[in-house]
PDB file of all heavy atoms in Angstrom:
ATOM      1  N   GLU A  70     -37.555 -60.437   5.463  1.00 85.00           N
ATOM      2  CA  GLU A  70     -38.280 -60.649   4.183  1.00 85.00           C
ATOM      3  C   GLU A  70     -38.515 -59.343   3.490  1.00 85.00           C
ATOM      4  O   GLU A  70     -38.805 -59.306   2.331  1.00 85.00           O
ATOM      5  CB  GLU A  70     -39.654 -61.302   4.449  1.00 85.00           C
ATOM      6  CG  GLU A  70     -40.677 -60.421   5.146  1.00 85.00           C
ATOM      7  CD  GLU A  70     -40.510 -60.340   6.766  1.00 85.00           C
ATOM      8  OE1 GLU A  70     -39.582 -60.944   7.247  1.00 85.00           O
ATOM      9  OE2 GLU A  70     -41.244 -59.559   7.382  1.00 85.00           O
ATOM     10  N   SER A  71     -38.337 -58.211   4.137  1.00 85.00           N
ATOM     11  CA  SER A  71     -38.411 -56.886   3.388  1.00 85.00           C
ATOM     12  C   SER A  71     -37.552 -56.660   2.287  1.00 85.00           C
ATOM     13  O   SER A  71     -37.750 -55.798   1.467  1.00 85.00           O
ATOM     14  CB  SER A  71     -38.301 -55.772   4.479  1.00 85.00           C
ATOM     15  OG  SER A  71     -36.978 -55.675   4.971  1.00 85.00           O
ATOM     16  N   ILE A  72     -36.380 -57.372   2.277  1.00 81.00           N
ATOM     17  CA  ILE A  72     -35.422 -57.099   1.088  1.00 81.00           C
ATOM     18  C   ILE A  72     -36.171 -57.675  -0.281  1.00 81.00           C
ATOM     19  O   ILE A  72     -35.675 -57.287  -1.295  1.00 81.00           O
ATOM     20  CB  ILE A  72     -34.146 -58.000   1.306  1.00 81.00           C
ATOM     21  CG1 ILE A  72     -34.331 -59.471   1.452  1.00 81.00           C
ATOM     22  CG2 ILE A  72     -33.442 -57.385   2.540  1.00 81.00           C
ATOM     23  CD1 ILE A  72     -33.109 -60.176   1.421  1.00 81.00           C
ATOM     24  N   PHE A  73     -37.147 -58.427  -0.166  1.00 79.00           N
ATOM     25  CA  PHE A  73     -37.849 -58.881  -1.347  1.00 79.00           C
ATOM     26  C   PHE A  73     -38.918 -58.110  -1.797  1.00 79.00           C
ATOM     27  O   PHE A  73     -39.493 -58.207  -2.905  1.00 79.00           O
ATOM     28  CB  PHE A  73     -38.513 -60.274  -1.117  1.00 79.00           C
ATOM     29  CG  PHE A  73     -37.397 -61.284  -0.852  1.00 79.00           C
ATOM     30  CD1 PHE A  73     -37.188 -61.744   0.477  1.00 79.00           C
ATOM     31  CD2 PHE A  73     -36.618 -61.880  -1.883  1.00 79.00           C
ATOM     32  CE1 PHE A  73     -36.149 -62.660   0.741  1.00 79.00           C
ATOM     33  CE2 PHE A  73     -35.708 -62.773  -1.514  1.00 79.00           C
ATOM     34  CZ  PHE A  73     -35.504 -63.241  -0.265  1.00 79.00           C
ATOM     35  N   HIS A  74     -39.121 -56.948  -1.078  1.00 79.00           N
ATOM     36  CA  HIS A  74     -40.260 -56.086  -1.512  1.00 79.00           C
ATOM     37  C   HIS A  74     -39.866 -54.786  -2.386  1.00 79.00           C
ATOM     38  O   HIS A  74     -40.602 -54.214  -3.097  1.00 79.00           O
ATOM     39  CB  HIS A  74     -40.932 -55.483  -0.213  1.00 79.00           C
ATOM     40  CG  HIS A  74     -41.670 -56.388   0.533  1.00 79.00           C
ATOM     41  ND1 HIS A  74     -42.661 -57.275   0.276  1.00 79.00           N
ATOM     42  CD2 HIS A  74     -41.360 -56.912   1.824  1.00 79.00           C
ATOM     43  CE1 HIS A  74     -42.924 -58.059   1.156  1.00 79.00           C
ATOM     44  NE2 HIS A  74     -42.218 -57.819   2.290  1.00 79.00           N
ATOM     45  N   ASN A  75     -38.540 -54.662  -2.424  1.00 74.00           N
ATOM     46  CA  ASN A  75     -37.926 -53.482  -3.181  1.00 74.00           C
ATOM     47  C   ASN A  75     -37.816 -53.857  -4.592  1.00 74.00           C
ATOM     48  O   ASN A  75     -38.018 -52.893  -5.479  1.00 74.00           O
ATOM     49  CB  ASN A  75     -36.572 -53.100  -2.579  1.00 74.00           C
ATOM     50  CG  ASN A  75     -36.712 -52.585  -1.161  1.00 74.00           C
ATOM     51  OD1 ASN A  75     -37.734 -52.215  -0.751  1.00 74.00           O
ATOM     52  ND2 ASN A  75     -35.685 -52.784  -0.356  1.00 74.00           N
ATOM     53  N   ASP A  76     -37.446 -54.920  -5.082  1.00 66.00           N
ATOM     54  CA  ASP A  76     -37.126 -55.343  -6.397  1.00 66.00           C
ATOM     55  C   ASP A  76     -38.178 -56.240  -7.010  1.00 66.00           C
ATOM     56  O   ASP A  76     -38.873 -56.905  -6.299  1.00 66.00           O
ATOM     57  CB  ASP A  76     -35.766 -56.063  -6.520  1.00 66.00           C
ATOM     58  CG  ASP A  76     -34.583 -55.162  -6.109  1.00 66.00           C
ATOM     59  OD1 ASP A  76     -34.726 -54.002  -6.322  1.00 66.00           O
ATOM     60  OD2 ASP A  76     -33.616 -55.720  -5.434  1.00 66.00           O
ATOM     61  N   SER A  77     -38.305 -56.234  -8.288  1.00 71.00           N
ATOM     62  CA  SER A  77     -39.341 -57.053  -8.822  1.00 71.00           C
ATOM     63  C   SER A  77     -38.875 -58.530  -9.051  1.00 71.00           C
ATOM     64  O   SER A  77     -39.744 -59.414  -9.072  1.00 71.00           O
ATOM     65  CB  SER A  77     -39.594 -56.552 -10.348  1.00 71.00           C
ATOM     66  OG  SER A  77     -38.435 -56.609 -11.173  1.00 71.00           O
ATOM     67  N   LEU A  78     -37.528 -58.817  -9.014  1.00 74.00           N
ATOM     68  CA  LEU A  78     -37.109 -60.123  -9.086  1.00 74.00           C
ATOM     69  C   LEU A  78     -35.878 -60.286  -8.154  1.00 74.00           C
ATOM     70  O   LEU A  78     -34.893 -59.597  -8.112  1.00 74.00           O
ATOM     71  CB  LEU A  78     -36.622 -60.438 -10.463  1.00 74.00           C
ATOM     72  CG  LEU A  78     -36.086 -61.901 -10.762  1.00 74.00           C
ATOM     73  CD1 LEU A  78     -37.116 -62.850 -10.448  1.00 74.00           C
ATOM     74  CD2 LEU A  78     -35.633 -62.031 -12.066  1.00 74.00           C
ATOM     75  N   THR A  79     -36.010 -61.204  -7.086  1.00 72.00           N
ATOM     76  CA  THR A  79     -34.899 -61.547  -6.210  1.00 72.00           C
ATOM     77  C   THR A  79     -34.781 -63.002  -6.067  1.00 72.00           C
ATOM     78  O   THR A  79     -35.658 -63.748  -6.047  1.00 72.00           O
ATOM     79  CB  THR A  79     -35.283 -60.964  -4.797  1.00 72.00           C
ATOM     80  OG1 THR A  79     -35.586 -59.576  -4.888  1.00 72.00           O
ATOM     81  CG2 THR A  79     -34.154 -61.079  -3.758  1.00 72.00           C
ATOM     82  N   LEU A  80     -33.479 -63.421  -6.084  1.00 74.00           N
ATOM     83  CA  LEU A  80     -33.248 -64.856  -5.904  1.00 74.00           C
ATOM     84  C   LEU A  80     -32.900 -65.239  -4.465  1.00 74.00           C
ATOM     85  O   LEU A  80     -31.994 -64.526  -3.914  1.00 74.00           O
ATOM     86  CB  LEU A  80     -31.947 -65.262  -6.848  1.00 74.00           C
ATOM     87  CG  LEU A  80     -31.495 -66.619  -6.662  1.00 74.00           C
ATOM     88  CD1 LEU A  80     -32.482 -67.724  -7.159  1.00 74.00           C
ATOM     89  CD2 LEU A  80     -30.251 -66.824  -7.394  1.00 74.00           C
ATOM     90  N   LEU A  81     -33.545 -66.158  -3.905  1.00 73.00           N
ATOM     91  CA  LEU A  81     -33.302 -66.672  -2.522  1.00 73.00           C
ATOM     92  C   LEU A  81     -32.682 -68.083  -2.713  1.00 73.00           C
ATOM     93  O   LEU A  81     -33.373 -68.967  -3.152  1.00 73.00           O
ATOM     94  CB  LEU A  81     -34.526 -66.754  -1.751  1.00 73.00           C
ATOM     95  CG  LEU A  81     -34.445 -67.329  -0.370  1.00 73.00           C
ATOM     96  CD1 LEU A  81     -33.527 -66.576   0.522  1.00 73.00           C
ATOM     97  CD2 LEU A  81     -35.847 -67.350   0.305  1.00 73.00           C
ATOM     98  N   ASN A  82     -31.547 -68.359  -2.287  1.00 73.00           N
ATOM     99  CA  ASN A  82     -30.744 -69.536  -2.331  1.00 73.00           C
ATOM    100  C   ASN A  82     -30.570 -70.065  -0.919  1.00 73.00           C
ATOM    101  O   ASN A  82     -30.060 -69.308  -0.077  1.00 73.00           O
ATOM    102  CB  ASN A  82     -29.477 -69.423  -2.924  1.00 73.00           C
ATOM    103  CG  ASN A  82     -28.835 -70.654  -3.392  1.00 73.00           C
ATOM    104  OD1 ASN A  82     -29.327 -71.699  -3.169  1.00 73.00           O
ATOM    105  ND2 ASN A  82     -27.758 -70.678  -4.145  1.00 73.00           N
ATOM    106  N   VAL A  83     -31.050 -71.259  -0.657  1.00 74.00           N
ATOM    107  CA  VAL A  83     -31.132 -71.799   0.701  1.00 74.00           C
ATOM    108  C   VAL A  83     -30.233 -72.906   0.696  1.00 74.00           C
ATOM    109  O   VAL A  83     -30.190 -73.943  -0.231  1.00 74.00           O
ATOM    110  CB  VAL A  83     -32.546 -72.167   1.080  1.00 74.00           C
ATOM    111  CG1 VAL A  83     -32.488 -72.835   2.507  1.00 74.00           C
ATOM    112  CG2 VAL A  83     -33.458 -71.018   1.016  1.00 74.00           C
ATOM    113  N   TRP A  84     -29.314 -72.987   1.773  1.00 73.00           N
ATOM    114  CA  TRP A  84     -28.400 -74.228   1.895  1.00 73.00           C
ATOM    115  C   TRP A  84     -28.769 -75.226   3.098  1.00 73.00           C
ATOM    116  O   TRP A  84     -29.466 -74.781   4.009  1.00 73.00           O
ATOM    117  CB  TRP A  84     -26.991 -73.784   2.138  1.00 73.00           C
ATOM    118  CG  TRP A  84     -26.341 -73.064   0.997  1.00 73.00           C
ATOM    119  CD1 TRP A  84     -25.866 -73.501  -0.087  1.00 73.00           C
ATOM    120  CD2 TRP A  84     -26.179 -71.553   0.927  1.00 73.00           C
ATOM    121  NE1 TRP A  84     -25.375 -72.569  -0.856  1.00 73.00           N
ATOM    122  CE2 TRP A  84     -25.565 -71.283  -0.284  1.00 73.00           C
ATOM    123  CE3 TRP A  84     -26.481 -70.446   1.771  1.00 73.00           C
ATOM    124  CZ2 TRP A  84     -25.176 -69.975  -0.720  1.00 73.00           C
ATOM    125  CZ3 TRP A  84     -26.191 -69.319   1.303  1.00 73.00           C
ATOM    126  CH2 TRP A  84     -25.558 -68.994   0.090  1.00 73.00           C
ATOM    127  N   ALA A  85     -28.350 -76.394   2.898  1.00 74.00           N
ATOM    128  CA  ALA A  85     -28.740 -77.318   3.947  1.00 74.00           C
ATOM    129  C   ALA A  85     -27.344 -77.990   4.352  1.00 74.00           C
ATOM    130  O   ALA A  85     -26.565 -78.280   3.546  1.00 74.00           O
ATOM    131  CB  ALA A  85     -29.690 -78.389   3.478  1.00 74.00           C
ATOM    132  N   ALA A  86     -27.169 -78.214   5.700  1.00 73.00           N
ATOM    133  CA  ALA A  86     -25.949 -78.977   6.198  1.00 73.00           C
ATOM    134  C   ALA A  86     -25.741 -80.258   5.653  1.00 73.00           C
ATOM    135  O   ALA A  86     -24.634 -80.732   5.468  1.00 73.00           O
ATOM    136  CB  ALA A  86     -25.956 -78.790   7.619  1.00 73.00           C
ATOM    137  N   TRP A  87     -26.785 -80.992   5.277  1.00 75.00           N
ATOM    138  CA  TRP A  87     -26.599 -82.438   4.876  1.00 75.00           C
ATOM    139  C   TRP A  87     -26.598 -82.515   3.431  1.00 75.00           C
ATOM    140  O   TRP A  87     -26.273 -83.527   2.948  1.00 75.00           O
ATOM    141  CB  TRP A  87     -27.823 -83.185   5.411  1.00 75.00           C
ATOM    142  CG  TRP A  87     -29.161 -82.522   4.962  1.00 75.00           C
ATOM    143  CD1 TRP A  87     -29.840 -81.679   5.849  1.00 75.00           C
ATOM    144  CD2 TRP A  87     -29.858 -82.537   3.754  1.00 75.00           C
ATOM    145  NE1 TRP A  87     -30.974 -81.171   5.130  1.00 75.00           N
ATOM    146  CE2 TRP A  87     -30.903 -81.723   3.952  1.00 75.00           C
ATOM    147  CE3 TRP A  87     -29.567 -83.075   2.514  1.00 75.00           C
ATOM    148  CZ2 TRP A  87     -31.856 -81.541   2.784  1.00 75.00           C
ATOM    149  CZ3 TRP A  87     -30.578 -82.869   1.474  1.00 75.00           C
ATOM    150  CH2 TRP A  87     -31.582 -82.167   1.622  1.00 75.00           C
ATOM    151  N   CYS A  88     -26.605 -81.415   2.673  1.00 75.00           N
ATOM    152  CA  CYS A  88     -26.570 -81.426   1.197  1.00 75.00           C
ATOM    153  C   CYS A  88     -25.198 -81.313   0.662  1.00 75.00           C
ATOM    154  O   CYS A  88     -24.509 -80.248   0.860  1.00 75.00           O
ATOM    155  CB  CYS A  88     -27.504 -80.377   0.664  1.00 75.00           C
ATOM    156  SG  CYS A  88     -27.399 -80.091  -1.027  1.00 75.00           S
ATOM    157  N   GLY A  89     -24.629 -82.440  -0.092  1.00 74.00           N
ATOM    158  CA  GLY A  89     -23.293 -82.249  -0.521  1.00 74.00           C
ATOM    159  C   GLY A  89     -22.967 -81.165  -1.517  1.00 74.00           C
ATOM    160  O   GLY A  89     -22.114 -80.459  -1.512  1.00 74.00           O
ATOM    161  N   ILE A  90     -23.938 -80.941  -2.508  1.00 75.00           N
ATOM    162  CA  ILE A  90     -23.878 -79.849  -3.527  1.00 75.00           C
ATOM    163  C   ILE A  90     -23.935 -78.459  -2.695  1.00 75.00           C
ATOM    164  O   ILE A  90     -23.201 -77.588  -3.077  1.00 75.00           O
ATOM    165  CB  ILE A  90     -24.948 -79.912  -4.545  1.00 75.00           C
ATOM    166  CG1 ILE A  90     -24.769 -81.180  -5.321  1.00 75.00           C
ATOM    167  CG2 ILE A  90     -24.950 -78.789  -5.480  1.00 75.00           C
ATOM    168  CD1 ILE A  90     -25.820 -81.479  -6.318  1.00 75.00           C
ATOM    169  N   CYS A  91     -24.699 -78.340  -1.731  1.00 74.00           N
ATOM    170  CA  CYS A  91     -24.835 -77.138  -0.928  1.00 74.00           C
ATOM    171  C   CYS A  91     -23.493 -76.848  -0.236  1.00 74.00           C
ATOM    172  O   CYS A  91     -23.071 -75.669  -0.178  1.00 74.00           O
ATOM    173  CB  CYS A  91     -25.925 -77.264   0.050  1.00 74.00           C
ATOM    174  SG  CYS A  91     -27.555 -77.394  -0.629  1.00 74.00           S
ATOM    175  N   LYS A  92     -22.812 -77.815   0.305  1.00 73.00           N
ATOM    176  CA  LYS A  92     -21.550 -77.672   1.017  1.00 73.00           C
ATOM    177  C   LYS A  92     -20.558 -77.165  -0.058  1.00 73.00           C
ATOM    178  O   LYS A  92     -19.713 -76.237   0.263  1.00 73.00           O
ATOM    179  CB  LYS A  92     -21.094 -78.884   1.564  1.00 73.00           C
ATOM    180  CG  LYS A  92     -21.836 -79.406   2.827  1.00 73.00           C
ATOM    181  CD  LYS A  92     -21.276 -80.663   3.455  1.00 73.00           C
ATOM    182  CE  LYS A  92     -22.066 -81.030   4.523  1.00 73.00           C
ATOM    183  NZ  LYS A  92     -21.650 -82.309   5.106  1.00 73.00           N
TER     184      LYS A  92
END
Side-chain angles (χ1 to χ4, degrees):
E70 71 280 355
S71 65
I72 62 173
F73 296 101
H74 299 299
N75 299 334
D76 298 324
S77 61
L78 182 63
T79 305
L80 173 66
L81 174 63
N82 196 354
V83 180
W84 293 284
W87 49 263
C88 173
I90 293 172
C91 298
K92 288 181 181 179

